[in-house]
Amino acid sequence: MRRPPTSELLRALRMRFRGAVRPVVTAFASTFDPRTLRGLAPFAVALVLAPFLAPAIRSNLKEPLFSDTLAFQYTGWCLRHGMRLYGDFGMTDGPFIHYLHALIQVFVGITDRGFRRADLSIEVFGSAVLGALLAPAQGPRTASRWVNRAAWAASAAAVWLSWYFTFGWEGTTQREAFYSIFGSVGMVLLFVSSDFDPRRAAIAEFLGAFLVTTQVFGKPTGVLYFAAGALCVLLPNAGASLTWRKRARILLVGSAACALAVVFLLAISGSFSGYVHWCVRTPYRSNRFLWGTDWHRLFLTVYWERFSRIAAGAFVAGAAAIGVGLLPPRAVGFVVLPPLTFLSACLQARGFDYHIIPMVASAHVVLLVILTRLWKLDDAREAPG
């Protein structure tokens, strides 16, 4: 039996290959249409920053913990070993950070490197959630929307880490970064909840209310996150899928759930009278005699010279965006947060750089909200029909 010529074999293999590849190419082309490919553009930010972030991450993981982080590692260890918070031990911070350290230790242990890994994981995941929630993911195609959200998540996380590492090894892992990421995610959940159908809107608002309320049990300045988040819900919102009464009720329920969780934790592993002593009396009495730094000097020189432009720029940009109708009035909480957190850092009268982290984080969120809204507006202009 004669073998077919080599050319015929090659032709047959080529036809089979084309037959197998054609459906894959067609599916790829239909998935990554021009609109989807445009949604991939924010990935470029992450790709550009990646070569700079990689060595920064490696360097950060090698450094020891510093300052108050070590104290909270100790309080977390005490909680895990049966001691009562604010009874057997305590610090002038709410229970949020103590229980967070204890929870992190359950998963990564008590080593410095393990905690730094946990810190970076929380910062990356939280900032990526910000980008994914705010992403202008539009269009009928599910794949296109998910690709767009992934691109904005990567971009937001890369930019977040790029400013986070500017605070140096002694500034990372501090409680202000945890407050900022949890508070920011809660605010954004409350802001975008109106973009969802009623069921998902209720879930997003409940989670957002829970998260911003956790900051009330951090530093006293954490009440700013709750107030800014509440404005997203309580100010008029004609496009919301839930009525004002339902939104207010869910906000109250989410906040109450957080408060009850804190009460439960203190009941089984803490002290209520000790909480009042450590977190109400001490910060406003004995703390004013520590350090002795004049907050006016921080406001007018130390912080003003280095960070005031960030707070002012975010405020002006946000106010202008509301003024021209790019952002709705309920975004005013985002806009006023940078100058308020700048002022709160000054009023603490300590002078540590990491006290300014909430201001930089809130400015980052303002600019991210503006940029995603601009992108969404441009998408709507280019949409067919």
Side-chain angles (χ1 to χ4, degrees):
M1 186 175 180
R2 288 188 57 189
R3 296 175 57 188
T6 304
S7 59
E8 292 183 10
L9 285 174
L10 292 175
R11 190 179 300 111
L13 290 173
R14 191 182 303 117
M15 295 299 294
R16 288 185 179 182
F17 178 77
R18 288 178 178 176
V21 170
R22 185 177 289 111
V24 177
V25 174
T26 303
F28 181 87
S30 62
T31 300
F32 292 93
D33 54 13
R35 189 185 187 92
T36 306
L37 290 174
R38 185 174 185 274
L40 284 170
F43 266 125
V45 176
L47 292 175
V48 169
L49 292 176
F52 303 97
L53 290 176
I57 291 173
R58 289 195 297 268
S59 175
N60 183 270
L61 292 176
K62 296 176 182 177
E63 300 293 348
L65 300 180
F66 177 75
S67 184
D68 290 346
T69 303
L70 290 169
F72 293 122
Q73 280 290 81
Y74 173 70
T75 62
W77 181 91
C78 290
L79 277 170
R80 292 192 305 108
H81 286 77
M83 300 184 196
R84 300 188 72 84
L85 178 61
Y86 306 124
D88 300 319
F89 64 95
M91 282 187 66
T92 54
D93 277 86
F96 172 81
I97 192 64
H98 303 290
Y99 286 106
L100 179 62
H101 272 257
L103 181 63
I104 290 174
Q105 289 176 17
V106 170
F107 293 99
V108 302
I110 61 173
T111 65
D112 289 13
R113 186 177 181 86
F115 188 81
R116 284 196 173 274
R117 285 178 173 174
D119 169 60
L120 286 179
S121 299
I122 292 172
E123 298 299 324
V124 169
F125 178 76
S127 55
V129 168
L130 293 176
L133 288 172
L134 290 169
Q138 302 180 95
R141 302 182 62 84
T142 302
S144 177
R145 294 196 299 271
W146 279 105
V147 165
N148 187 257
R149 291 192 185 281
W152 280 98
S155 174
V159 175
W160 184 283
L161 287 183
S162 69
W163 67 254
Y164 184 51
F165 285 136
T166 63
F167 286 90
W169 65 272
E170 71 279 6
T172 55
T173 72
Q174 297 294 335
R175 59 192 179 278
E176 281 76 11
F178 293 119
Y179 295 154
S180 298
I181 198 68
F182 280 89
S184 297
V185 171
M187 287 175 55
V188 169
L189 277 168
L190 293 172
F191 181 73
V192 302
S193 62
S194 62
D195 298 336
F196 302 142
D197 59 74
R199 180 175 175 273
R200 290 193 298 167
I203 295 173
E205 188 180 332
F206 175 85
L207 292 175
F210 190 98
L211 287 175
V212 294
T213 307
T214 62
Q215 300 315 295
V216 177
F217 300 99
K219 276 189 171 183
T221 54
V223 71
L224 294 174
Y225 285 103
F226 177 82
L231 289 175
C232 296
V233 175
L234 300 179
L235 287 180
N237 184 4
S241 57
L242 299 172
T243 65
W244 185 91
R245 187 180 296 274
K246 288 183 178 179
R247 299 199 307 272
R249 186 183 302 123
I250 296 171
L251 176 68
L252 180 61
V253 170
S255 299
C258 178
L260 288 174
V262 172
V263 169
F264 174 76
L265 289 173
L266 287 179
I268 64 174
S269 60
S271 167
F272 292 104
S273 60
Y275 172 72
V276 174
H277 171 78
W278 280 101
C279 299
V280 178
R281 295 174 183 168
T282 301
Y284 301 104
R285 292 184 181 179
S286 59
N287 256 22
R288 67 178 182 270
F289 299 109
L290 299 176
W291 302 101
T293 302
D294 185 359
W295 76 270
H296 297 89
R297 184 173 67 85
L298 294 176
F299 181 80
L300 296 174
T301 58
V302 179
Y303 284 161
W304 183 268
E305 293 172 356
R306 300 172 58 195
F307 302 110
S308 63
R309 294 177 184 84
I310 301 175
F315 176 75
V316 171
I322 293 178
V324 299
L326 178 65
L327 295 181
R330 60 192 176 88
V332 67
F334 289 99
V335 176
V336 299
L337 198 57
L340 288 178
T341 48
F342 177 82
L343 180 60
S344 71
C346 298
L347 291 174
Q348 291 177 64
R350 295 293 187 272
F352 296 119
D353 279 358
Y354 56 77
H355 283 176
I356 213 75
I357 284 178
M359 185 277 292
V360 183
S362 60
H364 168 90
V365 175
V366 170
L367 299 178
L368 183 61
V369 171
I370 293 174
L371 186 58
T372 52
R373 286 281 167 156
L374 282 171
W375 196 285
K376 185 176 182 179
L377 182 64
D378 193 51
D379 272 349
R381 287 175 177 172
E382 293 190 3

